[in-house]
Amino acid sequence: VKMLRLRNNNLQCEIPEDVFSMPSLTLLDLSGNKESSINFKSINSERAAALEELHVADGAIASLKGIERVLGNLTALNVAGNFMVGEFPVSVLELEYLTSLDLSHNSFSGTIPTIIGTATTSLQTLKLSYNQFSGNIPSTLGNLRDLSRLTLQSNNLRGSIPAELSKLTSLTQISFNDNSLSGPILDFANSPFLLSIDGRNNMLTGTIPSTLLQSVDPMYSILSVVDLSNNKLTGNVPIALSRFSSLRILLFGNMLDELNQELCSQAGGWFFDDVSLFGCDAIMCPPGTYNIFGRQISESFPCQACEQASFYGTTTCEVSSQGISERSKIILLLPSKAASSTDESDDY
């Protein structure tokens, strides 16, 4: 047996060490068994030497202690959605062949260790979202030159986005939304494969770089999503972005005061052709108007007059919880195309 998948089988026990004793087993998937756990200290390291992938998302694992001694050949470890608390389990960084690590949806706290970019440099996927990590994003993450997916959203991270992340030339997805990050947004100009940036709901300041996504081939921009909504960005939307014939860039809830009309005419395919239908309003509602989505998404939801709206992309005409609940209710009634830009999920 080389692969064993026992997902969602309602297992309610500690996984017997015999499961790890199959000499040819390379992949073991126990995800979705919410009351199953693993005692890594009891596993015979010699018998489990062939195991390369271990997936135990949505289980009852409380600790990873001992994993580096018994599963030394792991390339992929997914323990998302378990019951783990405490600091980042640095022992997993001793797994020298590890390329994919998913610790998301747990209750880890403390800082993300700086050795994460020095003890191991082979990671291609790193998912730390939906925990309670605090402090700064380590600049050493910039040493992970093969990193393709980096998810840091929904933690308690502060400080600025380290410039070293601009070194990540293999990035396809980065998310750091729903933290308390400040300072400027990086342009990620050296990441030609980057299709998704999610930096919403932070305290980012400064202007949107004119070199944003500079190395991304415009022919792939139909897949690109940039969400910088609900920050403190100022200035304009760079006209240089008009090189993308198709793009979804969410900028509502900032302090932007200029949107070049030329950008609207050249970027007709933005937001699934919404710009060709509604002009600049499909990117952001202008000052003096508002929309609960910050932009016009259909004939039924145009930008409406609002004297209090000082910036582009205003979402409420008066600051109240009623406006927020109204937006949430309408999202539930929208077709999937419009609702997709509000999705906050992070797959395991």
Side-chain angles (χ1 to χ4, degrees), residues 54-67:
L54 178 60
H55 303 273
V56 280
D58 290 323
I61 294 177
S63 173
L64 295 175
K65 289 182 179 179
I67 190 172

Side-chain angles (χ1 to χ4, degrees), residues 173-188:
Q173 174 195 358
I174 183 169
S175 56
F176 43 86
N177 52 287
D178 295 283
N179 282 287
S180 298
L181 297 170
S182 56
I185 179 70
L186 299 184
D187 61 6
F188 296 101

Side-chain angles (χ1 to χ4, degrees), residues 12 37 46 62 74 109 116 134 157 163-164 180 203 237 242-243 257 300 304 310 321 336:
Q12 302 180 27
S37 62
E46 294 183 1
L74 278 185
S109 58
I116 201 169
S134 58
L157 299 173
E164 286 79 3
S180 298
M203 297 183 290
V237 182
S242 64
R243 73 188 189 90
D257 56 17
S300 303
Q304 301 180 48
S310 301
S321 59
S336 58

Side-chain angles (χ1 to χ4, degrees), residues 113-139:
T114 57
I115 62 169
I116 201 169
T118 55
T120 179
T121 57
S122 58
L123 283 175
Q124 298 173 15
T125 297
L126 177 60
K127 304 178 78 171
L128 303 179
S129 51
Y130 298 96
N131 279 286
Q132 299 171 26
F133 289 118
S134 58
N136 297 333
I137 298 174
S139 61

Side-chain angles (χ1 to χ4, degrees), residues 66-121:
I67 190 172
E68 75 284 359
R69 292 191 296 271
V70 297
L71 299 177
N73 291 319
L74 278 185
T75 61
L77 176 62
N78 180 357
V79 289
N82 279 272
F83 294 91
M84 285 178 282
V85 299
E87 297 184 342
F88 186 101
V90 292
S91 59
V92 300
L93 301 180
E94 297 180 33
L95 298 169
E96 61 178 312
Y97 304 110
L98 198 64
T99 61
S100 179
L101 176 62
D102 191 345
L103 301 178
S104 64
H105 295 267
N106 280 286
S107 296
F108 290 116
S109 58
T111 59
I112 301 172
T114 57
I115 62 169
I116 201 169
T118 55
T120 179
T121 57

